[in-house]
């Protein structure tokens, strides 16, 4: 009887929560050619195999690469992919600022972002002149209250926590000035792409944020903001974002959530991995991937509470998807003679998961990423990362805690530090 009551209560919460979001029906078509209301179709495309014309995706991707390489001063393409990771985004944000201070941060021709990486992506795209805003967003003070409990309101909303703090955070930084700056850079042929997950099609959608910004006006700012919020809205934790679309004068609503639900990060449309691409478009390009999470975890007992279970479930999903994508990206780079570098939070760093938005934790992780980048110990190899994961999981949580207490965690590149003069940190 107790079990039946629990099942009934869970079902009631789910039904009441879903009813709190009012929406039109979703478009039900194989090739989704709807467009966000008031925008052209070029602002986005599907990333899946089922609902996009493969020839159209391949042609568009090749055209973009050709256009960007032609615009590059030295003909070299630099591509940065930023993964999801929730609170782990502090690592990627700090790393970018550390690269600036070291003098080794390239101008990225193409920047892609998913979830937390989507929130970092506009600043990474605009370059070091926006480092102050990037630090402000991810050093901890503005994120500490992201998890605003709904209390009894959880019965009426499809998310454990309210979206308002996340929307306010993104809205604060998505200013008219930022929109104009993104549009200006996109006009020079650079690309800023962000992924969300369309729950109705269960596919990834890639948004061309430069095209959205170029539309101009408040409509562009609002859609730009909503795409970023959707990309960072962890299912079950935050409510999904409804985006109105239209086709032939008919209005529909799409429900979008965290891009991490389908892809941890991306350097190209999914079909690019299996369809041939003109090699000259990619040869010699540099791929940089910042994984805002860990590729393994030290075994430890999970507390029996909602936040711990949600956090560890999200972490497990991101970890395994990221591992697979790292291998695919490495093979993709080898196939087309590209240079591949990546970094992630080492498994021996005391990271408490994607929902640890405590200011002290965020600031420590931000400073850690910045320090490692300044020391020239950010980028690592697949082999070294794999070795460290295997070593860490072979010991227990208590032993790892004791080791952490004795020494500071080493950087992703586990080698002797390279001297660097600038040591300023956020305090």
């Amino acid at each position: 009887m107790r079990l039946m009551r629990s099942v009934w209560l869970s079902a009631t919460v789910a039904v009441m929560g879903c009813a709190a979001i009012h929406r039109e029906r979703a478009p039900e078509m194989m090739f989704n050619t709807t467009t966000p209301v008031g925008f052209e179709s070029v602002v986005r495309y599907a990333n899946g195999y089922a609902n996009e014309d493969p020839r159209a995706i391949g042609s568009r991707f090749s055209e973009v690469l050709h256009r960007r390489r032609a615009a590059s001063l030295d003909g070299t393409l630099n591509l940065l992919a930023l993964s999801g990771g929730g609170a782990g985004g502090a690592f990627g944000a700090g790393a970018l600022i550390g690269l600036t201070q070291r003098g080794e941060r390239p101008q990225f021709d193409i920047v892609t972002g998913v979830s937390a990486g989507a929130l970092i992506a506009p600043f990474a795209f605009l370059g070091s002149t926006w480092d102050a805003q990037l630090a402000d967003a991810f050093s901890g003070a503005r994120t500490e209250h992201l998890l605003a409990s709904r209390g009894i309101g959880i019965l009426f909303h499809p998310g454990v926590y309210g979206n308002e703090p996340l929307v306010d955070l993104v809205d604060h930084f998505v200013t008219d000035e930022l929109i104009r700056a993104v549009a200006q850079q996109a006009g020079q042929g650079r690309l800023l792409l962000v992924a969300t997950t369309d729950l109705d099609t269960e596919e990834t959608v890639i948004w061309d944020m430069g095209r959205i910004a170029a539309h101009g006006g408040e409509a562009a700012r609002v859609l730009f903001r909503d795409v970023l919020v959707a990309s960072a809205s962890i299912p079950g934790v935050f409510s999904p974002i409804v985006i109105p679309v239209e086709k032939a004068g008919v209005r529909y609503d799409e429900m979008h959530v965290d891009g991490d639900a389908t892809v941890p990060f991306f350097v190209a449309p999914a079909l690019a991995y299996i369809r041939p691409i003109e090699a000259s478009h990619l040869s010699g390009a540099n791929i940089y991937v910042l994984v805002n999470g860990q590729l393994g975890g030290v075994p430890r007992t999970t507390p029996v509470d909602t936040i711990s279970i949600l956090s560890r479930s999200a972490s497990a999903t991101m970890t395994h998807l990221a591992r697979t994508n790292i291998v695919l990206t490495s093979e993709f780079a080898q196939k087309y003679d590209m240079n591949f570098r990546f970094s992630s939070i080492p498994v021996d760093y005391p990271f408490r998961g994607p929902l640890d938005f405590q200011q002290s934790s965020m600031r420590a992780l931000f400073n850690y990423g910045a320090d490692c980048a300044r020391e020239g110990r950010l980028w690592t190899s697949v082999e070294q990362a794999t070795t460290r994961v295997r070593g860490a999981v072979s010991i227990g949580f208590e032993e790892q805690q004791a080791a952490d207490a004795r020494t500071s965690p080493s950087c992703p590149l586990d080698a002797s530090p390279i001297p660097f003069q600038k040591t300023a940190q956020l305090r």
Side-chain angles (χ1 to χ4, degrees), residues 154-316:
I154 191 175
L155 297 175
F156 306 98
H157 296 273
V160 175
Y161 298 100
N163 272 49
E164 294 80 7
L166 178 59
V167 174
D168 290 345
L169 173 68
V170 178
D171 194 65
H172 176 80
F173 290 101
V174 179
T175 60
D176 292 336
E177 180 186 7
L178 182 140
I179 294 297
R180 288 193 296 269
V182 169
Q184 191 270 334
Q185 290 298 316
Q188 298 178 16
R190 297 176 63 217
L191 281 175
L192 173 60
L193 306 175
V194 163
T196 64
T197 297
D198 182 344
L199 284 183
D200 301 311
T201 62
E202 299 181 353
E203 295 286 357
T204 308
V205 176
I206 295 178
W207 299 79
D208 189 329
M209 307 303 280
R211 298 269 195 178
I212 294 175
H215 181 87
E218 180 64 5
R221 195 192 73 81
V222 169
L223 181 59
F224 196 103
R225 178 201 66 195
D226 287 351
V227 169
L228 294 184
V229 172
S231 185
S233 293
I234 303 170
V237 177
F238 298 115
S239 298
I241 298 297
V242 173
I243 296 179
V245 297
E246 61 184 353
K247 178 178 174 63
V250 180
R251 158 76 184 263
Y252 304 92
D253 280 345
E254 295 176 348
M255 184 177 283
H256 289 258
V257 297
D258 194 346
D260 228 344
T262 48
V263 62
F265 65 85
F266 65 99
V267 300
L271 287 167
Y273 289 98
I274 59 175
R275 291 181 62 85
I277 299 172
E278 175 57 49
S280 63
H281 294 329
L282 293 173
S283 179
N286 299 312
I287 296 177
Y288 301 85
V289 175
L290 279 173
V291 177
N292 294 302
Q294 295 174 309
L295 298 180
V298 177
R300 66 178 185 271
T301 301
T302 302
V304 185
D305 61 74
T306 301
I307 187 66
S308 297
I309 293 171
L310 282 173
S311 181
R312 298 214 64 186
S313 297
S315 180

Side-chain angles (χ1 to χ4, degrees), residues 61-126:
F61 184 56
S62 293
E63 185 273 330
V64 163
L65 292 173
H66 175 73
R67 177 163 52 93
R68 183 55 215 158
R69 187 180 283 278
S72 175
L73 294 177
D74 61 0
T76 300
L77 281 173
N78 292 310
L79 189 153
L80 172 67
L82 296 154
S83 87
F91 169 73
L96 286 169
I97 290 176
L99 289 173
T100 296
Q101 295 175 337
R102 186 174 172 80
E104 292 185 355
R105 178 171 164 182
Q107 182 187 65
F108 298 109
D109 303 287
I110 301 173
V111 176
T112 72
V114 176
S115 195
L119 305 186
I120 300 171
F123 304 118
F125 180 72
L126 294 176

Side-chain angles (χ1 to χ4, degrees), residues 325-345:
N325 259 36
I326 286 290
V327 172
L328 287 174
T329 304
S330 177
E331 293 177 350
F332 181 70
Q334 291 180 25
K335 178 179 179 180
Y336 289 102
D337 192 30
M338 295 183 286
N339 305 306
F340 174 54
R341 296 179 177 183
F342 90 97
S343 188
S344 62
I345 304 172

Side-chain angles (χ1 to χ4, degrees), residues 120-138:
I120 300 171
F123 304 118
F125 180 72
L126 294 176
S128 59
T129 56
W130 288 75
D131 278 359
Q133 291 91 328
L134 177 59
D136 187 20
F138 281 92

